[in-house]
């Protein structure tokens, strides 16, 4: 997933939040059948809320500056599009090119969907996943969100912002309810952009409160008690999930909302700045670095290993693992060691991507400030 940095603000602990979010996704995908908790969907919800906060905050600041200096909002839209393109497209299309060249299963058959950031439509229409590029659905959701949302923020009067964000939350929940009662396949409720808007809407609420109500309502919500309450709500949801049928009402309708509420209060506290042990967890150099390269980690992790799609003897990662197991079978045949290998290889690939491609290209953003 992606990060946004603005000249007006930089929230240091949010790199730690990115590290948590991408870690949840990786654990969920790599543990596969060993894990029964919806960690991946929580990680994705966390990314969506975080993107909603950062992107909407940037757009609000751009709108305020446009109005202050009598500048056209189209300038801010142009800068936004260029900066998002610089951040997102290079390694996304580079990965697709390599997968296409090496004829990885399902890539060539669905390349048009991937190129147009519409793999979520493919999944919803055909009710099936796409192998090692399954996870690109969430990047498609974010890109589709970017296509229309800047216009709403920049051209809608500020007095309607709260109605917009609350409407996004209600619309998303209502659509999931409607699709559930129409007996639509669960993938439609899960991967379509409109059914993800409650996460972005909560991020928008946070951006609005931080910008306009920082010393009042935002500060009132900035308490550990609210974070603990949201965690208790999420635990209650997990208990209810265990009592429901697979992909039943609890998961399909409530999962993203409950996960987004927990993410909202976690991110809100990180924006203000945790102290104590949480400050160390979110700001230590390892966590900060993992957060910085989180987009690459998310993009590449399924290509490094996926329990369902790459777990066969000739796959490069599996071959590397088998080579290592020949030297110390007592240690290396343990599942924890396998996870360490997958994580190390993923971090290595994401690190090369960061220093060779992402960071140099990101430096171009300095020419497109708001």
């Amino acid at each position: 997933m992606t990060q946004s940095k603005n000249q007006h603000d930089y929230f240091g602990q949010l790199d730690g939040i990115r590290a948590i979010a991408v870690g949840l996704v990786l654990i969920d995908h790599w543990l596969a059948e060993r894990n029964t908790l919806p960690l991946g969907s929580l990680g994705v919800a966390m990314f969506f809320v975080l993107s909603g906060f950062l992107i909407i905050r940037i757009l609000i600041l751009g709108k305020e500056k446009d109005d202050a200096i009598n500048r056209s909002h189209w300038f801010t839209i142009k800068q936004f599009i260029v900066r998002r393109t610089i951040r997102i497209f290079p390694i996304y299309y580079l990965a697709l090119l390599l997968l296409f060249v090496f004829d990885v299963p399902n890539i060539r058959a669905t390349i048009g969907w991937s190129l147009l950031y519409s793999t979520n439509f493919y999944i919803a229409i055909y009710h099936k996943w796409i192998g090692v590029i399954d996870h690109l659905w969430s990047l498609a959701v974010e890109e589709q969100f970017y296509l229309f949302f800047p216009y709403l923020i920049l051209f809608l009067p500020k007095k309607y912002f709260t109605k917009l964000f609350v409407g996004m939350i209600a619309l998303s929940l209502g659509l999931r309810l409607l699709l559930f009662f129409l007996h639509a396949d669960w993938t439609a409720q899960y991967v379509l952009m409109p059914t993800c808007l409650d996460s972005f809407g909560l991020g928008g609420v946070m951006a609005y409160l931080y910008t306009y109500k920082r010393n009042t309502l935002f500060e009132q919500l900035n308490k550990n008690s609210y974070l603990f309450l949201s965690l208790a709500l999420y635990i209650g949801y997990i208990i209810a999930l265990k009592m429901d049928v697979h992909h039943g009402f609890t998961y399909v309708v409530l999962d993203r909302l409950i996960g987004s509420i927990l993410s909202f209060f976690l991110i809100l506290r990180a924006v203000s700045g945790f102290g104590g042990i949480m400050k160390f967890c979110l700001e230590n150099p390892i966590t900060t670095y993992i957060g910085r390269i989180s987009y690459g980690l998310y993009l590449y992790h399924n290509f490094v290993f996926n329990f369902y799609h790459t777990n066969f003897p000739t796959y490069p990662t599996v071959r590397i693992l088998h080579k290592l197991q020949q030297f110390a079978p007592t240690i290396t045949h343990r599942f924890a060691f396998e996870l360490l290998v997958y994580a190390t290889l993923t971090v290595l690939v994401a690190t090369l991507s960061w220093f060779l491609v992402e960071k140099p290209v990101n430096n171009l953003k300095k020419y497109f400030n708001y």
Side-chain angles (χ1 to χ4, degrees):
M1 305 297 256
T2 59
Q3 68 183 41
S4 300
K5 197 183 294 185
N6 188 276
Q7 61 182 348
H8 298 284
D9 49 31
Y10 175 63
F11 309 101
Q13 292 189 1
L14 294 190
D15 276 331
I17 297 296
R18 293 184 184 95
I20 292 172
V22 77
L24 290 171
V25 173
L26 268 58
I27 290 171
D28 183 87
H29 288 177
W30 287 341
L31 289 179
E33 293 180 333
R34 295 171 182 256
N35 169 58
T36 60
L37 299 176
L39 300 180
S41 59
L42 176 59
V44 170
M46 201 173 294
F47 273 126
F48 285 166
V49 175
L50 184 57
S51 289
F53 168 69
L54 291 171
I55 294 301
I56 294 171
R57 166 86 172 139
I58 286 171
L59 293 170
I60 288 175
L61 291 175
K63 180 184 179 72
E64 295 285 339
K65 186 172 182 179
D66 291 344
D67 293 339
I69 65 176
N70 197 28
R71 184 177 67 188
S72 170
H73 291 326
W74 290 105
F75 173 84
T76 299
I77 287 176
K78 183 195 73 173
Q79 302 300 89
F80 174 82
I81 292 173
V82 172
R83 289 173 66 89
R84 288 289 83 201
T85 298
I86 289 171
R87 181 66 189 103
I88 297 171
F89 285 4
I91 64 169
Y92 178 87
Y93 286 113
L94 176 61
L96 287 181
L97 174 62
L98 293 174
L99 292 170
F100 186 89
V101 169
F102 288 102
D103 196 16
V104 174
N106 296 324
I107 301 302
R108 294 187 178 181
T110 59
I111 190 63
W113 300 88
S114 302
L115 291 174
L116 295 175
Y117 275 92
S118 56
T119 52
N120 60 330
F121 292 143
Y122 179 93
I123 293 166
I125 292 170
Y126 295 106
H127 308 157
K128 62 181 181 180
W129 299 89
I130 325 175
V132 295
I133 58 170
D134 285 348
H135 62 305
L136 298 188
W137 74 267
S138 60
L139 301 182
V141 166
E142 292 216 20
E143 192 63 26
Q144 291 157 19
F145 177 74
Y146 299 153
L147 284 177
F148 80 94
F149 205 77
Y151 304 96
L152 288 177
I153 292 296
L154 291 168
F155 293 104
L156 191 70
K158 183 176 68 176
K159 63 181 180 180
Y160 296 117
F161 281 177
T162 54
K163 292 184 177 66
L164 172 64
F165 302 140
V166 172
M168 289 165 62
I169 298 168
L171 174 64
S172 183
L173 182 61
L175 284 174
R176 293 202 299 270
L177 272 168
L178 176 63
L179 289 170
F180 179 80
F181 287 120
L182 290 176
H183 304 291
D185 188 80
W186 73 273
T187 53
Q189 294 96 303
Y190 190 71
V191 303
L192 292 176
M193 185 273 292
T195 61
C196 298
L197 283 178
D198 45 352
S199 299
F200 294 103
L202 281 166
V205 169
M206 194 188 315
Y208 180 86
L209 294 178
Y210 185 81
T211 305
Y212 300 114
K213 307 287 184 181
R214 190 181 312 180
N215 297 322
T216 53
L217 188 53
F218 183 90
E219 193 58 36
Q220 292 170 22
L221 293 174
N222 180 30
K223 294 180 173 63
N224 286 333
S225 56
Y226 289 108
L227 177 57
F228 291 142
L229 282 172
S230 66
L231 178 60
L233 176 65
Y234 189 78
I235 293 172
Y237 154 73
I238 293 297
I239 295 171
L241 183 65
K242 296 294 185 181
M243 300 171 63
D244 199 358
V245 298
H246 186 56
H247 292 149
F249 177 90
T250 307
Y251 180 75
V252 170
V253 177
L254 298 180
D255 178 81
R256 184 160 289 120
L257 178 62
I258 304 300
S260 296
I261 291 171
L262 173 58
S263 301
F264 174 90
F265 286 104
L266 178 64
I267 294 168
L268 189 147
R269 287 290 291 115
V271 167
S272 301
F274 278 102
I277 186 65
M278 279 298 293
K279 176 180 174 66
F280 171 78
C281 290
L282 296 177
E283 294 186 14
N284 72 80
I286 295 175
T287 306
T288 299
Y289 180 70
I290 294 298
R292 187 173 300 126
I293 65 170
S294 59
Y295 177 39
L297 291 172
Y298 185 86
L299 180 62
Y300 302 127
H301 79 277
N302 257 9
F303 314 145
V304 172
F305 182 77
N306 181 292
F307 179 84
Y308 297 106
H309 306 297
T310 67
N311 194 15
F312 50 88
T314 58
Y315 194 76
T317 306
V318 178
R319 290 173 63 185
I320 291 172
L321 180 63
H322 290 169
K323 289 287 185 183
L324 293 172
Q325 288 173 338
Q326 293 176 8
F327 295 99
T330 303
I331 298 174
T332 56
H333 278 281
R334 297 182 183 275
F335 187 70
F337 181 82
E338 295 181 18
L339 286 180
L340 178 62
V341 171
Y342 305 149
T344 302
L345 290 173
T346 305
V347 170
L348 177 60
V349 172
T351 295
L352 291 173
S353 172
W354 173 253
F355 285 105
L356 296 180
V357 182
E358 296 172 74
K359 188 175 181 181
V361 174
N362 280 344
N363 288 334
L364 298 175
K365 291 199 293 187
K366 65 186 178 183
Y367 299 110
F368 301 97
N369 289 324
Y370 293 96

